[in-house]
Amino acid sequence: MSNRVEILYCTQCRWLLRAAWMAQELLTTFDQEISELTLKPGTGGIFEVRVDDELVWSRKKEGRFPEITELKQRIRDRIAPGRSLGHADRKEN
Amino acid sequence: MSNRVEILYCTQCRWLLRAAWMAQELLTTFDQEISELTLKPGTGGIFEVRVDDELVWSRKKEGRFPEITELKQRIRDRIAPGRSLGHADRKEN
């Protein structure tokens, strides 16, 4: 089964709420594409998002959290390439 | 890896929000015990909660959604037997 999304978040930093918020955004936007979304508690400032075990966002690497639009675009590029995200796709001019 | 919780919910019935709410409640109460919690979109009125693939709640069987206290008690009985849930554990007299 593919199109599995995983969000690994730090419980010490209390990042469950933003991880769960992003989970709901992704499961709403990609309700036909995502087969399952797993929330995984971690520690030490971790915040990582994977699609079928491929890392699509790492807070350590990027130095920040993703904007939800960025995250949706990266996930769309892997599970629904070519699909428009509507106005969210238009670059700020 | 054990203590995996899964919530299978019906997207046609728009049950993502209550599934995600229960996920956050469980990941808050059992933040040390639950290794991962998976949200799984389904159809046809399904709402099921599993712990390590064992069914702990089925809307079809029970004919209703769980109260969050009931759900926490059933999950506690499997992943942290004997642990108190505080005031949530006291039966209404």
Side-chain angles (χ1 to χ4, degrees):
Chain A
M1 192 172 39
S2 68
N3 293 358
R4 289 174 301 102
V5 177
E6 182 187 270
I7 302 178
L8 182 56
Y9 63 94
C10 175
T11 56
Q12 298 161 316
C13 313
R14 299 190 182 287
W15 285 343
L16 167 61
L17 295 188
R18 70 190 72 184
W21 163 58
M22 289 186 193
Q24 291 173 79
E25 286 271 354
L26 297 176
L27 285 166
T28 300
T29 298
F30 301 108
D31 63 337
Q32 300 304 314
E33 290 91 352
I34 292 180
S35 61
E36 60 183 47
L37 190 147
T38 298
L39 291 166
K40 222 172 194 175
T43 55
I46 198 156
F47 194 89
E48 293 178 349
V49 183
R50 287 184 170 73
V51 176
D52 297 330
D53 302 323
E54 183 193 352
L55 188 65
V56 296
W57 192 278
S58 157
R59 182 178 166 273
K60 246 164 213 145
K61 258 197 222 154
E62 312 273 354
R64 62 183 174 86
F65 286 94
E67 288 198 26
I68 195 68
T69 310
E70 276 176 308
L71 187 57
K72 286 182 181 179
Q73 286 167 345
R74 289 195 185 180
I75 289 181
R76 179 269 318 271
D77 293 349
R78 283 164 182 76
I79 67 174
R83 185 187 139 182
S84 158
L85 291 178
H87 56 72
D89 250 345
R90 268 190 291 285
K91 288 277 161 284
E92 278 65 42
N93 20 34
Chain B
M1 196 172 37
S2 68
N3 293 359
R4 291 175 298 105
V5 177
E6 182 187 86
I7 302 179
L8 183 55
Y9 64 93
C10 176
T11 56
Q12 297 162 318
C13 312
R14 301 192 181 287
W15 286 344
L16 165 61
L17 294 188
R18 68 190 73 184
W21 163 58
M22 290 186 193
Q24 292 174 79
E25 285 270 355
L26 297 177
L27 285 166
T28 299
T29 299
F30 301 108
D31 63 336
Q32 300 305 314
E33 290 91 353
I34 292 179
S35 60
E36 60 182 44
L37 190 147
T38 298
L39 291 165
K40 223 174 192 172
T43 54
I46 198 156
F47 195 89
E48 293 178 350
V49 183
R50 288 183 170 74
V51 177
D52 296 332
D53 301 323
E54 183 193 355
L55 189 64
V56 295
W57 191 277
S58 157
R59 183 179 166 270
K60 258 181 198 129
K61 262 198 215 149
E62 313 272 353
R64 63 183 172 84
F65 285 94
E67 287 197 26
I68 194 68
T69 309
E70 276 175 306
L71 186 58
K72 286 182 182 179
Q73 287 167 344
R74 289 196 185 181
I75 289 180
R76 180 268 319 272
D77 293 349
R78 282 164 182 75
I79 67 174
R83 185 187 139 185
S84 157
L85 291 178
H87 55 75
D89 249 346
R90 269 190 292 281
K91 289 274 160 290
E92 278 67 40
N93 20 34

